[in-house]
PDB file of all heavy atoms in Angstrom:
ATOM      1  N   ASP A   3      82.160 -66.795 -21.521  1.00 92.00           N
ATOM      2  CA  ASP A   3      82.058 -66.232 -22.860  1.00 92.00           C
ATOM      3  C   ASP A   3      80.590 -66.214 -23.335  1.00 92.00           C
ATOM      4  O   ASP A   3      79.843 -67.172 -23.083  1.00 92.00           O
ATOM      5  CB  ASP A   3      82.817 -67.077 -23.843  1.00 92.00           C
ATOM      6  CG  ASP A   3      84.341 -66.937 -23.660  1.00 92.00           C
ATOM      7  OD1 ASP A   3      84.765 -65.998 -22.955  1.00 92.00           O
ATOM      8  OD2 ASP A   3      85.080 -67.809 -24.154  1.00 92.00           O
ATOM      9  N   THR A   4      80.228 -65.088 -23.989  1.00 95.00           N
ATOM     10  CA  THR A   4      78.860 -65.029 -24.611  1.00 95.00           C
ATOM     11  C   THR A   4      78.979 -65.804 -25.902  1.00 95.00           C
ATOM     12  O   THR A   4      80.053 -66.045 -26.433  1.00 95.00           O
ATOM     13  CB  THR A   4      78.504 -63.575 -24.896  1.00 95.00           C
ATOM     14  OG1 THR A   4      79.385 -63.103 -25.902  1.00 95.00           O
ATOM     15  CG2 THR A   4      78.543 -62.731 -23.646  1.00 95.00           C
ATOM     16  N   GLU A   7      81.126 -63.948 -28.304  1.00 95.00           N
ATOM     17  CA  GLU A   7      82.583 -64.026 -27.987  1.00 95.00           C
ATOM     18  C   GLU A   7      83.082 -65.432 -28.375  1.00 95.00           C
ATOM     19  O   GLU A   7      84.185 -65.533 -28.953  1.00 95.00           O
ATOM     20  CB  GLU A   7      82.729 -63.826 -26.482  1.00 95.00           C
ATOM     21  CG  GLU A   7      82.608 -62.343 -26.138  1.00 95.00           C
ATOM     22  CD  GLU A   7      82.724 -62.068 -24.621  1.00 95.00           C
ATOM     23  OE1 GLU A   7      82.291 -62.928 -23.834  1.00 95.00           O
ATOM     24  OE2 GLU A   7      83.213 -60.948 -24.270  1.00 95.00           O
ATOM     25  N   SER A   9      82.035 -67.201 -30.795  1.00 96.00           N
ATOM     26  CA  SER A   9      82.106 -67.142 -32.298  1.00 96.00           C
ATOM     27  C   SER A   9      83.380 -66.446 -32.709  1.00 96.00           C
ATOM     28  O   SER A   9      84.066 -66.923 -33.636  1.00 96.00           O
ATOM     29  CB  SER A   9      80.867 -66.437 -32.831  1.00 96.00           C
ATOM     30  OG  SER A   9      79.733 -67.114 -32.552  1.00 96.00           O
ATOM     31  N   GLN A  12      86.252 -68.680 -32.031  1.00 95.00           N
ATOM     32  CA  GLN A  12      86.198 -69.829 -32.978  1.00 95.00           C
ATOM     33  C   GLN A  12      86.910 -69.499 -34.312  1.00 95.00           C
ATOM     34  O   GLN A  12      87.721 -70.229 -34.860  1.00 95.00           O
ATOM     35  CB  GLN A  12      84.721 -70.216 -33.231  1.00 95.00           C
ATOM     36  CG  GLN A  12      84.491 -71.133 -34.375  1.00 95.00           C
ATOM     37  CD  GLN A  12      84.996 -72.588 -34.155  1.00 95.00           C
ATOM     38  OE1 GLN A  12      84.824 -73.028 -33.026  1.00 95.00           O
ATOM     39  NE2 GLN A  12      85.572 -73.164 -35.126  1.00 95.00           N
ATOM     40  N   HIS A  15      90.658 -69.041 -33.665  1.00 95.00           N
ATOM     41  CA  HIS A  15      91.257 -70.368 -33.450  1.00 95.00           C
ATOM     42  C   HIS A  15      91.455 -71.059 -34.769  1.00 95.00           C
ATOM     43  O   HIS A  15      92.505 -71.674 -34.969  1.00 95.00           O
ATOM     44  CB  HIS A  15      90.369 -71.155 -32.501  1.00 95.00           C
ATOM     45  CG  HIS A  15      90.979 -72.522 -32.241  1.00 95.00           C
ATOM     46  ND1 HIS A  15      92.097 -72.709 -31.427  1.00 95.00           N
ATOM     47  CD2 HIS A  15      90.610 -73.756 -32.675  1.00 95.00           C
ATOM     48  CE1 HIS A  15      92.375 -73.990 -31.418  1.00 95.00           C
ATOM     49  NE2 HIS A  15      91.476 -74.680 -32.160  1.00 95.00           N
ATOM     50  N   HIS A  18      94.439 -69.794 -36.628  1.00 96.00           N
ATOM     51  CA  HIS A  18      95.775 -70.192 -36.082  1.00 96.00           C
ATOM     52  C   HIS A  18      95.985 -71.698 -36.335  1.00 96.00           C
ATOM     53  O   HIS A  18      97.176 -72.152 -36.520  1.00 96.00           O
ATOM     54  CB  HIS A  18      95.837 -69.965 -34.568  1.00 96.00           C
ATOM     55  CG  HIS A  18      96.128 -68.490 -34.286  1.00 96.00           C
ATOM     56  ND1 HIS A  18      97.312 -67.929 -34.504  1.00 96.00           N
ATOM     57  CD2 HIS A  18      95.286 -67.483 -33.899  1.00 96.00           C
ATOM     58  CE1 HIS A  18      97.254 -66.601 -34.265  1.00 96.00           C
ATOM     59  NE2 HIS A  18      96.028 -66.327 -33.890  1.00 96.00           N
ATOM     60  N   ASN A  42      86.270 -75.075 -44.021  1.00 96.00           N
ATOM     61  CA  ASN A  42      85.496 -74.309 -42.978  1.00 96.00           C
ATOM     62  C   ASN A  42      84.362 -73.456 -43.493  1.00 96.00           C
ATOM     63  O   ASN A  42      83.426 -73.152 -42.817  1.00 96.00           O
ATOM     64  CB  ASN A  42      86.438 -73.487 -42.092  1.00 96.00           C
ATOM     65  CG  ASN A  42      87.375 -74.353 -41.301  1.00 96.00           C
ATOM     66  OD1 ASN A  42      86.965 -74.903 -40.306  1.00 96.00           O
ATOM     67  ND2 ASN A  42      88.608 -74.469 -41.806  1.00 96.00           N
ATOM     68  N   ARG A  45      80.185 -73.118 -48.020  1.00 87.00           N
ATOM     69  CA  ARG A  45      79.126 -72.360 -48.693  1.00 87.00           C
ATOM     70  C   ARG A  45      79.732 -71.187 -49.431  1.00 87.00           C
ATOM     71  O   ARG A  45      79.317 -70.813 -50.554  1.00 87.00           O
ATOM     72  CB  ARG A  45      78.179 -71.740 -47.664  1.00 87.00           C
ATOM     73  CG  ARG A  45      77.235 -72.703 -47.017  1.00 87.00           C
ATOM     74  CD  ARG A  45      76.612 -72.082 -45.833  1.00 87.00           C
ATOM     75  NE  ARG A  45      75.754 -72.925 -45.146  1.00 87.00           N
ATOM     76  CZ  ARG A  45      74.395 -72.973 -45.278  1.00 87.00           C
ATOM     77  NH1 ARG A  45      73.810 -72.139 -46.113  1.00 87.00           N
ATOM     78  NH2 ARG A  45      73.648 -73.790 -44.539  1.00 87.00           N
ATOM     79  N   PHE A  75      97.557 -61.915 -39.718  1.00 96.00           N
ATOM     80  CA  PHE A  75      96.196 -61.757 -39.116  1.00 96.00           C
ATOM     81  C   PHE A  75      95.474 -60.509 -39.612  1.00 96.00           C
ATOM     82  O   PHE A  75      94.306 -60.550 -39.872  1.00 96.00           O
ATOM     83  CB  PHE A  75      96.220 -61.847 -37.613  1.00 96.00           C
ATOM     84  CG  PHE A  75      94.827 -62.032 -37.057  1.00 96.00           C
ATOM     85  CD1 PHE A  75      94.122 -63.213 -37.087  1.00 96.00           C
ATOM     86  CD2 PHE A  75      94.197 -60.926 -36.513  1.00 96.00           C
ATOM     87  CE1 PHE A  75      92.854 -63.354 -36.630  1.00 96.00           C
ATOM     88  CE2 PHE A  75      92.887 -61.018 -36.040  1.00 96.00           C
ATOM     89  CZ  PHE A  75      92.236 -62.253 -36.094  1.00 96.00           C
ATOM     90  N   TYR A  89      78.099 -64.183 -46.168  1.00 90.00           N
ATOM     91  CA  TYR A  89      77.152 -64.901 -45.282  1.00 90.00           C
ATOM     92  C   TYR A  89      75.959 -64.079 -44.854  1.00 90.00           C
ATOM     93  O   TYR A  89      74.920 -64.520 -44.610  1.00 90.00           O
ATOM     94  CB  TYR A  89      77.909 -65.537 -44.049  1.00 90.00           C
ATOM     95  CG  TYR A  89      78.609 -66.827 -44.460  1.00 90.00           C
ATOM     96  CD1 TYR A  89      79.845 -66.827 -45.015  1.00 90.00           C
ATOM     97  CD2 TYR A  89      77.903 -68.019 -44.349  1.00 90.00           C
ATOM     98  CE1 TYR A  89      80.476 -67.986 -45.416  1.00 90.00           C
ATOM     99  CE2 TYR A  89      78.527 -69.196 -44.695  1.00 90.00           C
ATOM    100  CZ  TYR A  89      79.760 -69.159 -45.268  1.00 90.00           C
ATOM    101  OH  TYR A  89      80.360 -70.319 -45.717  1.00 90.00           O
ATOM    102  N   HIS A  90      76.174 -62.744 -44.889  1.00 93.00           N
ATOM    103  CA  HIS A  90      75.079 -61.820 -44.618  1.00 93.00           C
ATOM    104  C   HIS A  90      74.013 -61.921 -45.708  1.00 93.00           C
ATOM    105  O   HIS A  90      72.837 -61.965 -45.481  1.00 93.00           O
ATOM    106  CB  HIS A  90      75.631 -60.342 -44.547  1.00 93.00           C
ATOM    107  CG  HIS A  90      74.613 -59.355 -44.187  1.00 93.00           C
ATOM    108  ND1 HIS A  90      74.521 -58.119 -44.842  1.00 93.00           N
ATOM    109  CD2 HIS A  90      73.532 -59.339 -43.326  1.00 93.00           C
ATOM    110  CE1 HIS A  90      73.496 -57.480 -44.336  1.00 93.00           C
ATOM    111  NE2 HIS A  90      72.907 -58.162 -43.426  1.00 93.00           N
ATOM    112  N   TYR A  93      72.293 -65.163 -45.279  1.00 87.00           N
ATOM    113  CA  TYR A  93      71.373 -65.059 -44.153  1.00 87.00           C
ATOM    114  C   TYR A  93      70.033 -64.524 -44.553  1.00 87.00           C
ATOM    115  O   TYR A  93      68.985 -65.013 -44.208  1.00 87.00           O
ATOM    116  CB  TYR A  93      72.050 -64.208 -43.089  1.00 87.00           C
ATOM    117  CG  TYR A  93      71.285 -63.945 -41.850  1.00 87.00           C
ATOM    118  CD1 TYR A  93      71.296 -64.841 -40.770  1.00 87.00           C
ATOM    119  CD2 TYR A  93      70.521 -62.782 -41.626  1.00 87.00           C
ATOM    120  CE1 TYR A  93      70.623 -64.630 -39.626  1.00 87.00           C
ATOM    121  CE2 TYR A  93      69.822 -62.535 -40.429  1.00 87.00           C
ATOM    122  CZ  TYR A  93      69.897 -63.488 -39.447  1.00 87.00           C
ATOM    123  OH  TYR A  93      69.234 -63.243 -38.285  1.00 87.00           O
ATOM    124  N   HIS A  94      70.062 -63.438 -45.398  1.00 88.00           N
ATOM    125  CA  HIS A  94      68.815 -62.786 -45.845  1.00 88.00           C
ATOM    126  C   HIS A  94      68.088 -63.726 -46.770  1.00 88.00           C
ATOM    127  O   HIS A  94      66.873 -63.764 -46.818  1.00 88.00           O
ATOM    128  CB  HIS A  94      69.107 -61.453 -46.484  1.00 88.00           C
ATOM    129  CG  HIS A  94      69.264 -60.359 -45.514  1.00 88.00           C
ATOM    130  ND1 HIS A  94      68.196 -59.812 -44.915  1.00 88.00           N
ATOM    131  CD2 HIS A  94      70.357 -59.774 -44.964  1.00 88.00           C
ATOM    132  CE1 HIS A  94      68.619 -58.858 -44.058  1.00 88.00           C
ATOM    133  NE2 HIS A  94      69.893 -58.811 -44.071  1.00 88.00           N
TER     134      HIS A  94
ATOM    135  N   ASP B   3      76.048 -76.723 -41.460  1.00 92.00           N
ATOM    136  CA  ASP B   3      77.032 -75.649 -41.236  1.00 92.00           C
ATOM    137  C   ASP B   3      78.222 -76.132 -40.462  1.00 92.00           C
ATOM    138  O   ASP B   3      78.117 -76.948 -39.536  1.00 92.00           O
ATOM    139  CB  ASP B   3      76.372 -74.560 -40.387  1.00 92.00           C
ATOM    140  CG  ASP B   3      75.225 -73.834 -41.174  1.00 92.00           C
ATOM    141  OD1 ASP B   3      75.235 -73.924 -42.393  1.00 92.00           O
ATOM    142  OD2 ASP B   3      74.428 -73.186 -40.514  1.00 92.00           O
ATOM    143  N   THR B   4      79.392 -75.696 -40.835  1.00 95.00           N
ATOM    144  CA  THR B   4      80.631 -75.972 -40.072  1.00 95.00           C
ATOM    145  C   THR B   4      80.609 -75.028 -38.844  1.00 95.00           C
ATOM    146  O   THR B   4      79.868 -74.029 -38.811  1.00 95.00           O
ATOM    147  CB  THR B   4      81.845 -75.688 -40.910  1.00 95.00           C
ATOM    148  OG1 THR B   4      81.934 -74.223 -41.162  1.00 95.00           O
ATOM    149  CG2 THR B   4      81.857 -76.399 -42.261  1.00 95.00           C
ATOM    150  N   GLU B   7      81.097 -71.492 -39.956  1.00 95.00           N
ATOM    151  CA  GLU B   7      79.873 -70.934 -40.560  1.00 95.00           C
ATOM    152  C   GLU B   7      78.861 -70.555 -39.533  1.00 95.00           C
ATOM    153  O   GLU B   7      78.209 -69.495 -39.612  1.00 95.00           O
ATOM    154  CB  GLU B   7      79.314 -71.962 -41.592  1.00 95.00           C
ATOM    155  CG  GLU B   7      80.158 -71.992 -42.814  1.00 95.00           C
ATOM    156  CD  GLU B   7      79.674 -73.021 -43.855  1.00 95.00           C
ATOM    157  OE1 GLU B   7      79.160 -74.075 -43.426  1.00 95.00           O
ATOM    158  OE2 GLU B   7      79.859 -72.804 -45.054  1.00 95.00           O
ATOM    159  N   SER B   9      79.507 -69.690 -36.549  1.00 96.00           N
ATOM    160  CA  SER B   9      80.034 -68.462 -35.904  1.00 96.00           C
ATOM    161  C   SER B   9      79.682 -67.232 -36.691  1.00 96.00           C
ATOM    162  O   SER B   9      79.293 -66.199 -36.149  1.00 96.00           O
ATOM    163  CB  SER B   9      81.554 -68.566 -35.709  1.00 96.00           C
ATOM    164  OG  SER B   9      81.851 -69.665 -34.793  1.00 96.00           O
ATOM    165  N   GLN B  12      76.091 -66.513 -36.364  1.00 95.00           N
ATOM    166  CA  GLN B  12      75.801 -66.019 -35.005  1.00 95.00           C
ATOM    167  C   GLN B  12      76.027 -64.502 -34.922  1.00 95.00           C
ATOM    168  O   GLN B  12      75.230 -63.740 -34.375  1.00 95.00           O
ATOM    169  CB  GLN B  12      76.713 -66.752 -34.019  1.00 95.00           C
ATOM    170  CG  GLN B  12      76.829 -66.214 -32.640  1.00 95.00           C
ATOM    171  CD  GLN B  12      75.543 -66.392 -31.850  1.00 95.00           C
ATOM    172  OE1 GLN B  12      74.919 -67.467 -31.910  1.00 95.00           O
ATOM    173  NE2 GLN B  12      75.064 -65.398 -31.165  1.00 95.00           N
ATOM    174  N   HIS B  15      73.412 -62.730 -36.994  1.00 95.00           N
ATOM    175  CA  HIS B  15      72.111 -62.763 -36.314  1.00 95.00           C
ATOM    176  C   HIS B  15      72.015 -61.751 -35.169  1.00 95.00           C
ATOM    177  O   HIS B  15      71.038 -61.094 -34.963  1.00 95.00           O
ATOM    178  CB  HIS B  15      71.881 -64.206 -35.826  1.00 95.00           C
ATOM    179  CG  HIS B  15      70.532 -64.325 -35.048  1.00 95.00           C
ATOM    180  ND1 HIS B  15      69.330 -64.310 -35.719  1.00 95.00           N
ATOM    181  CD2 HIS B  15      70.272 -64.451 -33.762  1.00 95.00           C
ATOM    182  CE1 HIS B  15      68.350 -64.430 -34.888  1.00 95.00           C
ATOM    183  NE2 HIS B  15      68.881 -64.537 -33.677  1.00 95.00           N
ATOM    184  N   HIS B  18      71.390 -58.285 -36.448  1.00 96.00           N
ATOM    185  CA  HIS B  18      69.963 -58.036 -36.859  1.00 96.00           C
ATOM    186  C   HIS B  18      69.012 -57.983 -35.631  1.00 96.00           C
ATOM    187  O   HIS B  18      68.034 -57.275 -35.675  1.00 96.00           O
ATOM    188  CB  HIS B  18      69.531 -59.118 -37.806  1.00 96.00           C
ATOM    189  CG  HIS B  18      70.110 -58.826 -39.213  1.00 96.00           C
ATOM    190  ND1 HIS B  18      69.641 -57.806 -39.969  1.00 96.00           N
ATOM    191  CD2 HIS B  18      71.086 -59.437 -39.862  1.00 96.00           C
ATOM    192  CE1 HIS B  18      70.329 -57.838 -41.094  1.00 96.00           C
ATOM    193  NE2 HIS B  18      71.224 -58.810 -41.065  1.00 96.00           N
ATOM    194  N   ASN B  42      76.854 -58.423 -25.560  1.00 96.00           N
ATOM    195  CA  ASN B  42      77.489 -59.586 -26.308  1.00 96.00           C
ATOM    196  C   ASN B  42      79.000 -59.617 -26.304  1.00 96.00           C
ATOM    197  O   ASN B  42      79.561 -60.665 -26.526  1.00 96.00           O
ATOM    198  CB  ASN B  42      76.980 -59.521 -27.709  1.00 96.00           C
ATOM    199  CG  ASN B  42      75.522 -59.777 -27.838  1.00 96.00           C
ATOM    200  OD1 ASN B  42      75.088 -60.878 -27.676  1.00 96.00           O
ATOM    201  ND2 ASN B  42      74.751 -58.722 -27.987  1.00 96.00           N
ATOM    202  N   PRO B  44      81.236 -58.300 -23.546  1.00 91.00           N
ATOM    203  CA  PRO B  44      81.606 -57.565 -22.345  1.00 91.00           C
ATOM    204  C   PRO B  44      83.118 -57.501 -22.152  1.00 91.00           C
ATOM    205  O   PRO B  44      83.577 -56.551 -21.552  1.00 91.00           O
ATOM    206  CB  PRO B  44      80.889 -58.420 -21.252  1.00 91.00           C
ATOM    207  CG  PRO B  44      80.588 -59.746 -21.901  1.00 91.00           C
ATOM    208  CD  PRO B  44      80.364 -59.418 -23.322  1.00 91.00           C
ATOM    209  N   ARG B  45      83.854 -58.501 -22.703  1.00 87.00           N
ATOM    210  CA  ARG B  45      85.322 -58.471 -22.570  1.00 87.00           C
ATOM    211  C   ARG B  45      85.901 -57.266 -23.302  1.00 87.00           C
ATOM    212  O   ARG B  45      86.839 -56.589 -22.872  1.00 87.00           O
ATOM    213  CB  ARG B  45      86.000 -59.720 -23.199  1.00 87.00           C
ATOM    214  CG  ARG B  45      85.814 -60.966 -22.363  1.00 87.00           C
ATOM    215  CD  ARG B  45      86.233 -62.128 -23.235  1.00 87.00           C
ATOM    216  NE  ARG B  45      86.097 -63.380 -22.510  1.00 87.00           N
ATOM    217  CZ  ARG B  45      87.059 -64.047 -21.971  1.00 87.00           C
ATOM    218  NH1 ARG B  45      88.252 -63.611 -21.994  1.00 87.00           N
ATOM    219  NH2 ARG B  45      86.818 -65.192 -21.400  1.00 87.00           N
ATOM    220  N   PHE B  75      75.011 -52.488 -42.201  1.00 96.00           N
ATOM    221  CA  PHE B  75      75.847 -53.690 -42.094  1.00 96.00           C
ATOM    222  C   PHE B  75      77.283 -53.516 -42.562  1.00 96.00           C
ATOM    223  O   PHE B  75      78.196 -53.987 -41.943  1.00 96.00           O
ATOM    224  CB  PHE B  75      75.207 -54.875 -42.798  1.00 96.00           C
ATOM    225  CG  PHE B  75      75.865 -56.181 -42.431  1.00 96.00           C
ATOM    226  CD1 PHE B  75      75.667 -56.764 -41.186  1.00 96.00           C
ATOM    227  CD2 PHE B  75      76.747 -56.753 -43.271  1.00 96.00           C
ATOM    228  CE1 PHE B  75      76.320 -57.955 -40.825  1.00 96.00           C
ATOM    229  CE2 PHE B  75      77.463 -57.911 -42.920  1.00 96.00           C
ATOM    230  CZ  PHE B  75      77.220 -58.513 -41.692  1.00 96.00           C
ATOM    231  N   TYR B  89      89.952 -59.448 -29.761  1.00 90.00           N
ATOM    232  CA  TYR B  89      89.857 -60.809 -29.283  1.00 90.00           C
ATOM    233  C   TYR B  89      91.051 -61.619 -29.733  1.00 90.00           C
ATOM    234  O   TYR B  89      91.416 -62.580 -29.060  1.00 90.00           O
ATOM    235  CB  TYR B  89      88.530 -61.452 -29.696  1.00 90.00           C
ATOM    236  CG  TYR B  89      87.415 -60.977 -28.735  1.00 90.00           C
ATOM    237  CD1 TYR B  89      86.754 -59.755 -28.947  1.00 90.00           C
ATOM    238  CD2 TYR B  89      87.088 -61.711 -27.653  1.00 90.00           C
ATOM    239  CE1 TYR B  89      85.731 -59.322 -28.097  1.00 90.00           C
ATOM    240  CE2 TYR B  89      86.082 -61.279 -26.730  1.00 90.00           C
ATOM    241  CZ  TYR B  89      85.438 -60.085 -26.990  1.00 90.00           C
ATOM    242  OH  TYR B  89      84.511 -59.613 -26.092  1.00 90.00           O
ATOM    243  N   HIS B  90      91.693 -61.228 -30.817  1.00 92.00           N
ATOM    244  CA  HIS B  90      92.915 -61.877 -31.269  1.00 92.00           C
ATOM    245  C   HIS B  90      94.041 -61.702 -30.193  1.00 92.00           C
ATOM    246  O   HIS B  90      94.720 -62.613 -29.842  1.00 92.00           O
ATOM    247  CB  HIS B  90      93.293 -61.341 -32.621  1.00 92.00           C
ATOM    248  CG  HIS B  90      94.558 -62.008 -33.195  1.00 92.00           C
ATOM    249  ND1 HIS B  90      95.571 -61.317 -33.800  1.00 92.00           N
ATOM    250  CD2 HIS B  90      94.901 -63.313 -33.239  1.00 92.00           C
ATOM    251  CE1 HIS B  90      96.509 -62.185 -34.184  1.00 92.00           C
ATOM    252  NE2 HIS B  90      96.145 -63.379 -33.911  1.00 92.00           N
ATOM    253  N   TYR B  93      93.178 -63.740 -27.219  1.00 87.00           N
ATOM    254  CA  TYR B  93      93.414 -65.092 -27.511  1.00 87.00           C
ATOM    255  C   TYR B  93      94.901 -65.476 -27.257  1.00 87.00           C
ATOM    256  O   TYR B  93      95.203 -66.461 -26.608  1.00 87.00           O
ATOM    257  CB  TYR B  93      93.093 -65.363 -28.975  1.00 87.00           C
ATOM    258  CG  TYR B  93      93.239 -66.761 -29.544  1.00 87.00           C
ATOM    259  CD1 TYR B  93      92.306 -67.742 -29.359  1.00 87.00           C
ATOM    260  CD2 TYR B  93      94.413 -67.073 -30.220  1.00 87.00           C
ATOM    261  CE1 TYR B  93      92.446 -68.980 -29.874  1.00 87.00           C
ATOM    262  CE2 TYR B  93      94.596 -68.353 -30.717  1.00 87.00           C
ATOM    263  CZ  TYR B  93      93.659 -69.311 -30.565  1.00 87.00           C
ATOM    264  OH  TYR B  93      93.828 -70.562 -31.064  1.00 87.00           O
ATOM    265  N   HIS B  94      95.798 -64.612 -27.711  1.00 88.00           N
ATOM    266  CA  HIS B  94      97.198 -64.797 -27.481  1.00 88.00           C
ATOM    267  C   HIS B  94      97.552 -64.690 -26.009  1.00 88.00           C
ATOM    268  O   HIS B  94      98.394 -65.449 -25.503  1.00 88.00           O
ATOM    269  CB  HIS B  94      98.040 -63.852 -28.309  1.00 88.00           C
ATOM    270  CG  HIS B  94      98.254 -64.300 -29.728  1.00 88.00           C
ATOM    271  ND1 HIS B  94      99.148 -65.337 -30.046  1.00 88.00           N
ATOM    272  CD2 HIS B  94      97.588 -63.967 -30.919  1.00 88.00           C
ATOM    273  CE1 HIS B  94      99.079 -65.539 -31.379  1.00 88.00           C
ATOM    274  NE2 HIS B  94      98.149 -64.818 -31.882  1.00 88.00           N
TER     275      HIS B  94
END
Side-chain angles (χ1 to χ4, degrees):
Chain A
D3 291 342
T4 67
E7 287 177 327
S9 297
Q12 168 69 41
H15 180 71
H18 284 288
N42 295 282
R45 286 168 183 262
F75 191 76
Y89 280 85
H90 182 222
Y93 179 84
H94 278 282
Chain B
D3 291 341
T4 67
E7 287 177 327
S9 297
Q12 168 68 42
H15 180 70
H18 285 287
N42 295 283
R45 286 167 183 261
F75 191 77
Y89 280 85
H90 183 223
Y93 179 85
H94 277 282

